[in-house]
């Protein structure tokens, strides 16, 4: 952890539960999918998240946040680390065009990525029967080829702060 790592699919693994990929990288889904259990896969598009309000709304809709969601970053993180209402064993969050999420608001963008990273950290780790470590919460950030390393390096910097 803490250093830029590329596997054979050319996806960048920021942490065992967080990956940055380009659309043509071909991330091996066997790395993310559990050996057994129910997986909830949420797909979001960063281009639909220009501001905090839209970002909270998209996550609320997709991850079915409860009505008591507080529409702030603390409440956002609290919901990500709970997710009990989804009735699933594993959660996979795919954020396509991640480089566009909150691209006009650096502070909010940092809060988004920090919350995603910390939620993955909170959910880690589970041992599979074959001994491979698997988190119960995975985040896949899909970016344009030119943006993937910038996003990954920003996440690595955030990782150092947590």
């Amino acid at each position: 952890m803490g250093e830029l790592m590329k596997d054979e699919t050319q996806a960048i693994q920021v942490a065992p539960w967080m990956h940055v990929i380009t659309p043509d990288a071909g991330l091996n889904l066997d790395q993310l999918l559990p050996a057994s259990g129910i997986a909830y896969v949420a797909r979001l598009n960063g281009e639909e998240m220009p501001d905090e309000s839209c970002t909270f709304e998209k996550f609320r809709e997709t991850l079915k946040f409860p009505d008591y969601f507080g529409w702030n970053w603390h409440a956002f993180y609290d919901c990500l680390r709970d997710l009990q209402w989804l009735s699933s064993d594993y959660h996979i969050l795919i954020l396509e065009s991640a480089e566009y999420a909150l691209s006009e608001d650096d502070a909010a963008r940092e809060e988004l990525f920090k919350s995603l990273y910390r939620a993955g950290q909170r959910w880690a780790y589970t041992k599979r029967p074959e001994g491979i470590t698997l988190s119960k919460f995975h985040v896949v950030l899909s970016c344009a080829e030119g943006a993937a390393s910038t996003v990954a390096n920003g996440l690595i910097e955030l990782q150092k702060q947590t």
Side-chain angles (χ1 to χ4, degrees):
M1 274 192 298
E3 58 193 53
L4 201 58
M5 295 172 37
K6 292 187 180 186
D7 64 16
E8 60 278 354
T9 63
Q10 297 182 18
I12 302 167
Q13 181 178 332
V14 176
W17 59 86
M18 184 172 269
H19 308 270
V20 178
I21 65 168
T22 57
D24 59 346
L27 178 65
N28 183 353
L29 290 180
D30 289 340
Q31 295 174 338
L32 304 180
L33 298 177
S36 64
I38 299 169
Y40 185 87
V41 179
R43 294 184 83 111
L44 295 119
N45 187 331
E47 292 180 280
E48 297 174 351
M49 300 178 197
D51 56 37
E52 284 184 1
S53 180
C54 289
T55 300
F56 291 147
E57 180 62 29
K58 293 298 178 185
F59 273 88
R60 187 192 65 78
E61 287 174 1
T62 305
L63 292 173
K64 303 176 185 345
F65 285 178
D67 291 338
Y68 57 80
F69 170 59
W71 298 87
N72 61 61
W73 291 112
H74 292 291
F76 179 77
Y77 171 68
D78 286 345
C79 285
L80 287 178
R81 63 182 196 147
D82 187 352
L83 298 176
Q84 69 178 345
W85 51 85
L86 292 178
S87 302
S88 51
D89 302 314
Y90 301 92
H91 310 90
I92 300 170
L93 173 66
I94 301 169
L95 178 54
E96 297 177 40
S97 301
E99 70 272 26
Y100 294 107
L102 297 162
S103 60
E104 301 296 316
D105 187 343
D106 291 338
R109 180 182 174 86
E110 183 174 318
E111 287 294 331
L112 170 64
F113 289 145
K114 189 184 309 180
S115 295
L116 293 173
Y117 179 83
R118 288 179 55 221
Q121 189 175 35
R122 166 71 171 81
W123 282 95
Y125 293 96
T126 301
K127 291 286 187 182
R128 291 171 66 173
E130 58 272 21
I132 299 172
T133 302
L134 177 73
S135 176
K136 289 185 171 236
F137 182 83
H138 270 274
V139 178
V140 178
L141 303 172
S142 179
C143 305
E145 195 168 321
S149 61
T150 301
V151 169
N153 286 327
L155 289 166
I156 290 167
E157 287 303 312
L158 284 176
Q159 179 182 4
K160 292 175 184 176
Q161 297 172 14
T162 58

